[in-house]
Amino acid sequence: MATTITVRQNGSYKVEGDDVKLVDWNGNEYTIPKRPFALCRCGHSKNKPFCDSSHKEVCFVAAEAAQAVGDDTPSAL
Ligand code: FES
């Protein structure tokens, strides 16, 4: 399975892929509790770098969507 990272609307980064490993700045590997897993994007997780759903409590808002290939419509600012 190819690795896919999905930017969730108002939420975490969902990471899918059996060959994905997550390392810290020293190259030490985190234990992945389950797959797929989610990484915190809001900065409020008490279990960083993993998402613990705290983004819901803080009403994290981030809904930037990728522009579709071939779509030349200007992005909203
Ligand atoms: S994105 Fe879920 S806790 Fe930060």
Side-chain angles (χ1 to χ4, degrees):
M1 173 187 206
T3 301
T4 302
I5 301 174
T6 304
V7 179
R8 289 176 161 154
Q9 186 177 29
N10 303 325
S12 62
Y13 298 111
K14 179 181 176 185
V15 182
E16 298 173 281
D18 294 333
D19 289 342
V20 176
K21 66 179 183 179
L22 181 63
V23 298
D24 68 11
W25 60 95
N26 292 313
N28 296 318
E29 196 167 335
Y30 289 93
T31 300
I32 307 295
K34 63 181 173 79
R35 293 180 187 266
F37 60 97
L39 296 174
C40 179
R41 186 162 66 115
C42 74
H44 291 276
S45 174
K46 294 165 192 66
N47 188 30
K48 293 183 190 81
F50 300 101
C51 170
D52 69 355
S53 297
S54 292
H55 60 270
K56 294 175 185 171
E57 296 170 21
V58 299
C59 299
F60 179 63
V61 176
E64 313 85 2
Q67 194 165 356
V69 175
D71 181 359
D72 55 2
T73 304
S75 300
L77 296 177

